[in-house]
Amino acid sequence: MLARLAAALLVSLSLPTLAQPNPQPFFNVITLDASATAEVPADTLTVTLSTEETGPDPAALASRANTRLEQALATAKSEPGVEARSGSYQTTPVYDRAGQITGWRVRAEIVLEGREFKSVSALAGRLQPAMKLAGMNFSLSRTAREMTESTLQTQALRRFQARADAIAKALGFPGYSLGQVHVRTDGPMVQPVAFRSM
């Protein structure tokens, strides 16, 4: 499983107009972009398990669902390297064709998350069949995401600096100055960067 991260800049480059005594602040503007991307292995597995009860008495249903959920949480919290927490909890009426309430349905979830895929999967297996598998997904941890985004931002900025210097030199201008920078990461990146004349 890979997560794709990206960092990019869309730049407005303002170059000085040396022949004018009072040049317009953004008279010569060139637009360029620079970006960096990386595919990073997903390092976090999240598994959602659920229990569901249906019947005429919502209080009794909630009691059974809560007992099963508490037992699952107690088992999960004894597993090192796996974070366990309660997920969504819903109590909904069951209707007949005439629109009358004929019963109730209670659904409770437990969420398992960890970077040790085998431990998370094994724990999910032990909690079944009392808890049913509701979903599973791989993702990138916050720490890994922040580290990768920082690296990509640096790469994109270096590429921008090289392109901006080359353009200014090719057009015979002494350089440029940075006015403002907007940086985005993760997904399509289109951000304005304004420059002032030197």
Side-chain angles (χ1 to χ4, degrees):
M1 297 294 178
L2 296 176
R4 186 173 181 82
L5 296 181
L9 304 172
L10 178 62
V11 178
S12 294
L13 177 64
S14 180
L15 301 171
T17 305
L18 302 178
Q20 294 183 351
N22 297 310
Q24 297 296 319
F26 293 98
F27 185 81
N28 294 314
V29 177
I30 297 173
T31 299
L32 64 121
D33 64 74
S35 64
T37 61
E39 289 188 351
V40 186
D43 63 351
T44 302
L45 172 61
T46 303
V47 177
T48 302
L49 301 166
S50 67
T51 181
E52 190 171 293
E53 295 285 343
T54 304
D57 184 355
L61 299 177
S63 178
R64 292 201 296 271
N66 290 342
T67 298
R68 195 167 293 144
L69 184 62
E70 290 169 2
Q71 291 173 345
L73 283 170
T75 300
K77 288 183 177 179
S78 66
E79 181 68 31
V82 180
E83 178 186 339
R85 63 181 184 275
S86 298
S88 66
Y89 193 102
Q90 298 174 330
T91 301
T92 55
V94 177
Y95 295 94
D96 61 15
R97 292 185 177 180
Q100 300 297 315
I101 296 177
T102 59
W104 296 86
R105 180 179 294 110
V106 174
R107 187 176 188 276
E109 291 182 348
I110 179 175
V111 180
L112 311 177
E113 190 171 271
R115 300 181 67 175
E116 298 178 11
F117 295 173
K118 289 183 179 180
S119 297
V120 177
S121 300
L123 176 58
R126 290 205 308 272
L127 294 178
Q128 297 178 66
M131 304 291 289
K132 306 296 183 184
L133 181 63
M136 177 186 299
N137 71 284
F138 295 87
S139 62
L140 194 62
S141 66
R142 181 176 180 178
T143 299
R145 175 180 293 274
E146 289 177 349
M147 290 178 60
T148 304
E149 287 177 350
S150 178
T151 300
L152 292 175
Q153 287 174 7
T154 300
Q155 291 177 2
L157 288 170
R158 286 177 178 169
R159 290 175 184 175
F160 157 72
Q161 288 175 329
R163 294 186 67 182
D165 288 339
I167 290 174
K169 183 177 180 181
L171 294 176
F173 292 110
Y176 61 89
S177 62
L178 183 63
Q180 58 179 325
V181 179
H182 300 279
V183 179
R184 270 185 55 191
T185 57
D186 192 11
M189 308 300 164
V190 179
Q191 293 298 314
V193 179
F195 286 78
R196 294 189 299 271
S197 301
M198 292 187 67

